[in-house]
Amino acid sequence: MSVVRATGTDTGAGLSASRTQRWALGLEYRGTAFCGWQRQNGQPSVQQALETALSQIAQTETTVMAAGRTDTGVHASLQVVHFDTTVEREATAWVRGGNQFLPDDVSIRWAVPVDDQFHARFAARSRRYVYLLRSSPQRPGLHASRVG
């Protein structure tokens, strides 16, 4: 559902209004090259990469909120995030355009407009974690950097 919010200040000539739309995105990423989800000074993070890509598409600074965080080297098959913007774009622009500016190991899978009450963290109904442990004297080839 799309929601319109009025923002601005009353200058005597009336309230200046801008349309704000909240979007939810579904991401997947291989976390090997990142310090984790959350932005950290001087270290590459998935959040920083995504915000940089979305800011390119929006042509203004864009900040995202995630359903959860991952640690250094952790991968995600579905991470849900949301962001607010006054820029009008189609869902395909956020997905295809965003992916154009993301590193190869991060991908936006889908984008949907959501109600302004939606919050990626608090709307999550479950979280699922899979731990891959290998018990072998030889290092893995196929699952290199994906198992502990």
Side-chain angles (χ1 to χ4, degrees):
M1 177 184 347
S2 195
V3 175
V4 177
R5 291 183 277 185
T7 60
T9 57
D10 191 344
T11 61
L15 186 66
S16 65
S18 63
R19 295 173 52 106
T20 301
Q21 175 64 61
R22 180 163 289 183
W23 285 86
L25 305 177
L27 312 174
E28 67 181 27
Y29 53 87
R30 186 177 61 235
T32 308
F34 300 101
C35 67
W37 164 261
Q38 193 169 10
R39 239 181 288 110
Q40 294 183 36
N41 288 334
Q43 297 185 44
S45 72
V46 179
Q47 182 181 16
Q48 180 182 15
L50 179 62
E51 289 175 345
T52 299
L54 294 176
S55 295
Q56 290 275 18
I57 300 305
Q59 297 179 332
T60 187
E61 186 175 334
T62 304
T63 304
V64 299
M65 298 292 297
R69 298 182 301 209
T70 54
D71 292 331
T72 299
V74 174
H75 317 304
S77 59
L78 178 59
Q79 168 75 294
V80 176
V81 304
H82 77 264
F83 67 96
D84 295 327
T85 185
T86 57
V87 176
E88 292 188 30
R89 299 282 188 271
E90 295 292 324
T92 56
W94 296 116
V95 175
R96 295 178 73 188
N99 284 335
Q100 175 184 348
F101 295 108
L102 283 168
D104 290 341
D105 42 9
V106 180
S107 178
I108 301 170
R109 305 297 297 159
W110 51 260
V112 293
V114 292
D115 184 274
D116 70 338
Q117 298 300 308
F118 175 84
H119 193 286
R121 179 176 170 206
F122 302 120
R125 293 184 180 161
S126 68
R127 289 172 174 82
R128 182 173 160 230
Y129 302 92
V130 176
Y131 297 90
L132 300 177
L133 303 174
R134 182 179 169 108
S135 177
S136 172
Q138 294 79 29
R139 67 173 176 79
L142 180 59
H143 294 290
S145 77
R146 293 188 176 146
V147 297

